[in-house]
Amino acid sequence: MTHFDRRTLFRALGAGAGVVAFSEADRAQAAALEAAAGPAPTGMKWDKAPCRFCGTGCGVEVATDGGKVVAVRGDEKSPVNKGLLCVKGYHLPALLYGADRLQYPQLRQPDGSLQRISWDDALDLIARKYREALDAKGPDSVAMYGSGQWTVFDGYAALKWVKGGLRSNHLDPNARLCMASAVTGFMSQFQSDEPMGCYEDLELADDVVLWGANMAEMHPVLFSRILESKRRRPTVRLIDIATRRTPSSEYADLYVEFRPGSDLALANGILHLLVKQGKVAQAFIDKNCVFKRGEEDLAKIGYGCSGEQAERYTFNDTPKDSSFEEFKSFLEEYTPQRVSELSGVSVAHLELLASIYGDNKRKTLSLWCMGVNQHVRGTWMNNLITDLHLVTGKIARPGNNPFSLTGQPSACGTVREVGTLSNRLPADMVVTNPEHRAKAEKLWKLPEGTIPEKPGHHAVDMFRAFQRGDITCLWVQTTNPWVSLPNLHRYERKPGDGKFLIVSDVYPTPTTDRADLILPSALWVEREGVFGNSERRTQQWNKLVEPPGEAREDAWQIVEVARRMGLGQLFPWEGDWHEAMFEEYRSFTLGVGKDLASYAQLKSTRGLLWPVVDGKETRYRYAGGHDPYVAAGRDVHFYKAKGYGERAAIWLRPHHPPAEVPDAEYPLWLCTGRVLEHWHTGSMTRRVRQLHQAVPRAYVELNRADALELGVKSGDRVRLESRRGAIELEARVDGRGQPPRGSVFVPFFDESKLINELTLDAMDNISKEPDYKKCAVRVKLAEQRT
């Protein structure tokens, strides 16, 4: 096989088919894909799998021939996508066959070069490095960082090894950067994570409200279901609440633009009107809800990015009881006039939004993703959106629900359900609860007191601790933090820093560039797996092809290291252990309202929505007639909220300003995000020629008035600067996204244009999720190249 460095490869991919160098495997793959477009070649074998990309969980049929994946098609039997795929899904086969695929373990030498080593040597080295760190500095010196791309097997193996074997809670995922605020939102209101509704709500709702979610690009298959519902029922309305116009806005019946960071005021303004106008469901509230209030003093809370908080951010909220009367008094200051001044939303639009949520004859579905979660008060904003549904009784009913969307294929199934966060255990359990620790220790056959009670480092603090040297041994799997972390300049490594970094991945990345040891991982259908999607659907797939070279499953890597450390009792299974491991994990979920289907049932279906009781899935949690945990005769029952008397919590959450706002020196807002064609940091999609050619490089979107004032036109190179860093980008004016005056937008998929060198590492006070959507920058024409 011909090998390329990443920059050469991407230049070749972007230049067109005539200059792309392929291995023989790549040529065979291209020929097979062309053949699949016509009559199906004989010998192809088809099997099911979920898509490898976002959290939608589309069903895919995968064709193999000659030991290769040669074609995919949307799975018409899948209730998620019903045969449809997005542009990334249709190009799934190509992500397996990039020319620079990692195939062998490699150890970095003193001169910076990489040397191929055997798996035995690599695994022995990892075991030795972890043991040396534990002996020298204890469990606080070791950590593991994973992602929502981990399968359930990967995440469960990591959880058991780190928390049960290493006796450390320093385990966290990249999902901390994208959906942690949704977790803390659901947990603080229902004491159980994940939405109560399902994708059927997309067709059943009369009003669909997008809160900062560009679904047309980020969740296009789900967005198509909304548009089809609008086509079938012209009375369906789509409302887009956002800080910039996107392709989603073009389909909206109402576009409501608010100033960055003012959404807390906006939501409170809607609640104010609902209470003033008597549009609250008082009987529902009295029967099913309690009121809560937390710490609101900005000086005590901070933003996690300055002073002592810039080293470790450990703020803990202090909830206290409240009441409906206090709720009404709290909302008094959020008058339409004041909210309009704060947000820029007209009083008329505020009243219209209140009428939508307050109309009990129409069903309302709220959808959100990163715009709400990546927020210095993301938990609060999650709370307020759910408050809108609780106070109106529009919840836990078909078509009436708050629904958080996720960006990774198993952010729900692995991170949130398995519990690969620094404070969690499986099935909504947490390390701070002694009963939860005892249950895990019993199931894992561990001595009492094995699992620490103190939560470990969350993602940002984990890398701060690694940079300081508090953590000396860190293993990163299935993620690319040296592109995705905010304020990237903080984390540069120096040669001979005394720390050891292991990275398991499928392609070279800026993160593997910083690794001491690189391990090649099996990808997607090169291994057996289970994902869990945004609607609580657990999906299983079989291994369909062999991985290239010596690439191996991430879970296998963890199990083998554990055995070399003398922790083999954690993984006692011989041979193919996938079903045995899953059934052990599943035992945590049974009887507590998180019941997963058996492995055998998952193998024979297109996934099932938990809780699965007596073999039957649950489309609507907490809903009478749907959820088997709700007694007959009850309409709604929030049975998981034991600490609230089995009622949901309505939270009082005030408006707080962002951590950084534009000023005379840095006069523009910066927002970052994704584009349709690429996924996250682009390490896979940029190796798919068609996707890379469609959008080969990052750019900055400017408002036309700002561009005129700056003397910038589309195609010009501009310099974008914040207080933390600077990059040069191509300007786009009136492109697919159109920011308002005073704002710019940059996608983060391009590793050669690291926008996160400019972003601020301010965090949500409860979830510790960074705010990638709001910081201050300036733009000027760059010196033009000759």
Side-chain angles (χ1 to χ4, degrees):
M1 175 181 283
T2 303
H3 294 278
F4 306 94
D5 65 69
R6 295 198 306 280
R7 292 171 181 81
T8 301
L9 176 65
F10 293 146
R11 282 198 298 271
L13 287 173
V19 297
V20 176
F22 288 98
S23 67
E24 288 303 310
D26 294 322
R27 294 183 187 281
Q29 168 69 5
L33 286 171
E34 290 176 7
T42 58
M44 286 203 309
K45 182 179 179 181
W46 294 86
D47 205 343
K48 69 176 176 74
C51 179
R52 177 56 179 78
F53 290 116
C54 79
T56 299
C58 290
V60 180
E61 289 190 284
V62 183
T64 57
D65 190 13
K68 297 288 182 181
V69 174
V70 296
V72 295
R73 63 192 180 201
D75 188 349
E76 294 182 358
K77 295 180 181 179
S78 170
V80 173
N81 54 308
K82 305 174 184 178
L84 182 66
L85 294 175
C86 77
V87 65
K88 293 185 291 294
Y90 284 118
H91 288 92
L92 277 164
L95 72 86
L96 299 171
Y97 302 116
D100 60 341
R101 184 74 189 271
L102 295 172
Q103 298 190 36
Y104 306 100
Q106 299 174 82
L107 179 64
R108 195 167 303 282
Q109 302 303 298
D111 64 359
S113 64
L114 291 169
Q115 178 181 325
R116 177 178 168 180
I117 63 173
S118 70
W119 267 109
D120 279 337
D121 287 345
L123 297 168
D124 288 344
L125 178 60
I126 297 170
R128 186 173 78 248
K129 289 292 185 179
Y130 269 95
R131 180 57 64 194
E132 288 173 354
L134 287 168
D135 290 345
K137 299 177 68 174
D140 276 345
S141 67
V142 296
M144 189 167 201
Y145 187 63
S147 86
Q149 299 163 65
W150 261 346
T151 68
V152 165
F153 303 117
D154 305 331
Y156 188 69
L159 179 80
K160 199 174 184 185
W161 176 58
V162 175
K163 299 193 178 187
L166 304 183
R167 301 190 176 204
S168 172
N169 285 327
H170 296 326
L171 171 69
D172 218 47
N174 69 353
R176 178 74 68 176
L177 312 180
C178 61
M179 37 75 1
S181 296
V183 175
T184 50
F186 282 117
M187 289 298 294
S188 61
Q189 295 191 277
F190 306 100
Q191 297 191 323
S192 181
D193 188 22
E194 297 194 44
M196 57 289 300
C198 65
Y199 291 160
E200 290 181 22
D201 287 333
L202 299 168
E203 285 88 18
L204 297 175
D206 300 303
D207 294 309
V208 180
V209 184
L210 309 183
W211 285 87
N214 178 16
M215 287 184 68
E217 291 195 88
M218 305 306 107
H219 298 88
V221 171
L222 298 183
F223 194 67
S224 74
R225 291 180 62 166
I226 297 171
L227 297 185
E228 177 62 11
S229 179
K230 281 175 61 62
R231 186 188 70 82
R232 290 174 178 268
R233 292 192 296 140
T235 56
V236 171
R237 298 180 298 193
L238 176 63
I239 298 92
D240 182 29
I241 304 174
T243 58
R244 84 186 228 277
R245 285 187 175 272
T246 67
S248 302
S249 312
E250 302 307 309
Y251 296 93
D253 297 283
L254 175 65
Y255 172 67
V256 179
E257 189 169 284
F258 65 93
R259 293 191 186 102
S262 66
D263 44 355
L264 290 159
L266 176 59
N268 276 317
I270 299 170
L271 288 165
H272 170 98
L273 287 170
L274 290 171
V275 170
K276 282 291 185 182
Q277 295 170 3
K279 292 181 179 179
V280 298
Q282 195 64 56
F284 178 90
I285 294 170
D286 292 344
K287 183 178 181 180
N288 297 295
C289 300
V290 296
F291 289 83
K292 294 288 180 178
R293 195 165 188 170
E295 179 60 66
E296 298 171 9
D297 187 339
L298 179 56
K300 293 180 180 179
I301 297 171
Y303 295 109
C305 59
S306 61
E308 292 182 1
Q309 291 182 348
E311 295 302 315
R312 186 166 188 188
Y313 189 36
T314 58
F315 170 83
N316 286 312
D317 201 13
T318 52
K320 60 183 179 181
D321 292 338
S322 186
S323 66
F324 184 63
E325 290 304 313
E326 187 177 20
F327 180 63
K328 289 195 296 183
S329 298
F330 167 84
L331 293 172
E332 282 293 332
E333 66 177 290
Y334 294 99
T335 63
Q337 292 73 25
R338 178 169 183 260
V339 170
S340 182
E341 291 171 2
L342 286 169
S343 68
V345 176
S346 70
V347 170
H349 277 167
L350 282 167
E351 292 174 343
L352 183 53
L353 290 171
S355 72
I356 289 168
Y357 279 100
D359 187 345
N360 60 18
K361 295 180 181 179
R362 291 176 63 88
K363 298 176 181 179
T364 304
L365 174 66
S366 297
L367 295 160
W368 68 95
C369 198
M370 299 307 103
V372 167
N373 294 338
Q374 292 177 337
H375 192 308
V376 289
R377 297 295 179 262
T379 303
W380 291 10
M381 195 59 214
N382 272 264
N383 290 157
L384 292 179
I385 294 173
T386 300
D387 283 356
L388 291 168
H389 287 266
L390 288 169
V391 301
T392 56
K394 290 186 170 186
I395 194 165
R397 293 182 172 91
N400 268 328
N401 280 301
F403 198 114
S404 69
L405 299 165
T406 49
Q408 297 187 86
S410 204
C412 288
T414 301
V415 172
R416 299 164 75 163
E417 294 163 26
V418 173
T420 62
L421 292 145
S422 60
N423 65 320
R424 285 173 72 89
L425 293 164
D428 285 337
M429 299 197 304
V430 292
V431 299
T432 52
N433 186 316
E435 293 180 3
H436 294 176
R437 295 197 306 277
K439 179 177 179 178
E441 289 163 350
K442 181 178 180 181
L443 284 171
W444 289 343
K445 298 180 174 60
L446 298 173
E448 182 180 347
T450 297
I451 300 171
E453 64 177 332
K454 181 182 177 181
H457 291 302
H458 55 81
V460 174
D461 274 1
M462 179 182 291
F463 283 88
R464 290 172 174 178
F466 186 66
Q467 192 272 336
R468 290 194 305 268
D470 295 346
I471 290 174
T472 58
C473 194
L474 172 63
W475 191 352
V476 174
Q477 286 191 337
T478 64
T479 187
N480 191 9
W482 266 271
V483 174
S484 60
L485 284 169
N487 195 6
L488 269 173
H489 285 299
R490 286 196 61 160
Y491 308 111
E492 280 306 320
R493 293 197 67 191
K494 297 178 180 178
D497 62 8
K499 294 169 285 192
F500 196 73
L501 175 65
I502 310 113
V503 177
S504 300
D505 212 326
V506 295
Y507 287 111
T509 67
T511 301
T512 63
D513 287 347
R514 289 156 175 82
D516 299 291
L517 177 64
I518 302 170
L519 302 179
S521 292
L523 174 61
W524 192 39
V525 294
E526 295 169 351
R527 43 80 57 87
E528 189 170 341
V530 173
F531 281 160
N533 76 349
S534 297
E535 65 165 351
R536 298 175 283 109
R537 183 175 300 278
T538 312
Q539 303 185 79
Q540 184 273 349
W541 74 92
N542 299 318
K543 179 179 178 179
L544 304 183
V545 294
E546 291 296 327
E550 297 177 4
R552 299 299 298 263
E553 177 179 359
D554 294 293
W556 175 88
Q557 299 172 25
I558 297 168
V559 170
E560 289 301 310
V561 168
R563 288 172 174 167
R564 282 165 168 78
M565 294 184 70
L567 299 170
Q569 73 277 10
L570 294 172
F571 306 103
W573 315 290
E574 298 297 331
D576 184 353
W577 38 255
H578 290 89
E579 183 166 1
M581 180 184 283
F582 183 86
E583 291 299 333
E584 180 184 278
Y585 158 58
R586 176 175 173 251
S587 67
F588 279 95
T589 72
L590 300 179
V592 296
K594 307 282 286 192
D595 314 60
L596 296 177
S598 70
Y599 201 66
Q601 193 173 11
L602 292 177
K603 286 176 73 74
S604 65
T605 64
R606 262 54 177 183
L608 292 169
L609 305 174
W610 60 260
V612 179
V613 178
D614 297 329
K616 298 179 181 179
E617 69 179 0
T618 300
R619 288 156 49 239
Y620 292 95
R621 298 175 75 194
Y622 313 130
H626 293 274
D627 189 334
Y629 283 88
V630 176
R634 293 203 64 167
D635 185 23
V636 173
H637 182 197
F638 299 112
Y639 56 86
K640 290 288 289 179
K642 305 296 184 185
Y644 301 155
E646 299 188 356
R647 298 181 176 203
I650 296 171
W651 282 86
L652 287 63
R653 299 296 199 188
H655 168 70
H656 272 189
E660 184 176 83
V661 299
D663 56 19
E665 189 176 5
Y666 296 92
L668 302 171
W669 288 106
L670 168 65
C671 178
T672 69
R674 293 201 288 118
V675 294
L676 171 66
E677 294 83 357
H678 287 292
W679 194 70
H680 286 207
T681 65
S683 60
M684 293 185 292
T685 51
R686 292 185 76 213
R687 286 169 171 87
V688 177
R689 184 179 63 202
Q690 295 87 342
L691 299 178
H692 184 60
Q693 287 177 340
V695 187
R697 64 190 65 85
Y699 52 85
V700 55
E701 294 177 354
L702 288 94
N703 177 271
R704 175 163 289 279
D706 289 330
L708 286 170
E709 186 174 289
L710 292 165
V712 172
K713 61 183 183 299
S714 282
D716 284 347
R717 284 175 51 251
V718 297
R719 183 174 174 83
L720 190 65
E721 300 175 344
S722 78
R723 290 178 172 87
R724 292 155 293 281
I727 56 173
E728 292 187 4
L729 296 162
E730 178 186 313
R732 297 276 180 89
V733 181
D734 293 336
R736 70 170 69 167
Q738 299 176 32
R741 185 150 200 194
S743 293
V744 299
F745 172 83
V746 179
F748 69 91
F749 69 85
D750 187 348
E751 68 177 47
S752 69
K753 302 292 184 183
L754 293 173
I755 189 59
N756 281 322
E757 291 183 347
L758 280 68
T759 52
L760 179 67
D761 52 347
M763 288 173 274
D764 176 72
N765 55 318
I766 299 171
S767 71
K768 309 305 187 290
E769 179 169 343
D771 190 334
Y772 292 91
K773 304 299 183 183
K774 298 177 287 294
C775 72
V777 296
R778 61 190 176 206
V779 176
K780 61 183 178 182
L781 272 170
E783 293 182 10
Q784 302 303 303
R785 298 189 183 100
T786 58

